[in-house]
Amino acid sequence: MVHLAQTPEDIAKCTRVLLELRPHLTPEKLVPMVMDMIKEGYQLAYVEENGEAMSAIGFRYLQFLFCGKHFYIDDLVTLPEARGKGYGALLLDYVTDLAKEAGYDVITLDSGHHRHTAHRLYLNNGFTISSHHFTKKVLGG
């Protein structure tokens, strides 16, 4: 069953799984940061076992000239001990269903070039590689 994180307590359940993907963050910063992001339209859904999130997906609605209205997946991660249980695919299906209900044609995401297992999941779930993502640090970099 997929749950939508709406409270600090829900987000706290997701701390360990989110830090698996985003180790540069700290547990102390994570909950307030996600609460701020929720105010900006970010949504966090998760699958839990025994009161802790085993897999999580963060996403938002966006609109770009190149693809129109779409869902953008910021984060998708499963704890190592929970991989292979279908949680990632379940969360992708959850977001796909939301996109269909909202009448959006596209779901997009970026993925680190080294995340081959994640790429296999995306490709097996109907995603295609359509572009490269570039970044440029302008402060502190």
Side-chain angles (χ1 to χ4, degrees):
M1 174 186 231
V2 176
H3 304 277
L4 190 61
Q6 297 178 312
T7 66
E9 294 78 21
D10 292 339
I11 298 164
K13 289 180 184 181
C14 300
T15 298
R16 189 164 71 100
V17 70
L18 290 173
L19 292 178
E20 180 74 24
L21 182 64
R22 308 291 183 208
H24 63 282
L25 298 174
T26 63
E28 299 77 28
K29 290 183 181 179
L30 185 69
V31 172
M33 183 180 223
V34 172
M35 289 301 295
D36 282 346
M37 290 170 64
I38 287 172
K39 293 174 193 169
E40 299 168 349
Y42 179 84
Q43 295 184 57
L44 179 64
Y46 61 97
V47 177
E48 72 176 273
E49 290 179 6
N50 302 316
E52 180 184 22
M54 295 287 112
S55 189
I57 190 167
F59 60 96
R60 61 186 80 223
Y61 306 94
L62 295 175
Q63 185 167 218
F64 291 155
L65 290 175
F66 80 90
C67 67
K69 291 181 179 181
H70 67 284
F71 276 53
Y72 179 79
I73 297 172
D74 293 60
D75 314 289
L76 177 58
V77 60
T78 301
L79 289 173
E81 66 267 25
R83 291 182 184 149
K85 294 184 176 184
Y87 293 154
L90 177 66
L91 290 169
L92 286 173
D93 288 346
Y94 175 79
V95 171
T96 298
D97 290 344
L98 289 175
K100 286 178 184 176
E101 289 172 16
Y104 288 17
D105 293 330
V106 181
I107 300 169
T108 64
L109 60 86
D110 292 309
S111 183
H113 61 86
H114 62 285
R115 299 190 69 230
H116 303 291
T117 304
H119 300 166
R120 189 169 46 252
L121 172 68
Y122 304 143
L123 293 168
N124 287 339
N125 281 274
F127 287 80
T128 60
I129 300 171
S130 60
S131 67
H132 294 281
H133 181 85
F134 294 86
T135 61
K136 177 182 177 180
K137 290 192 175 203
V138 295
L139 294 176

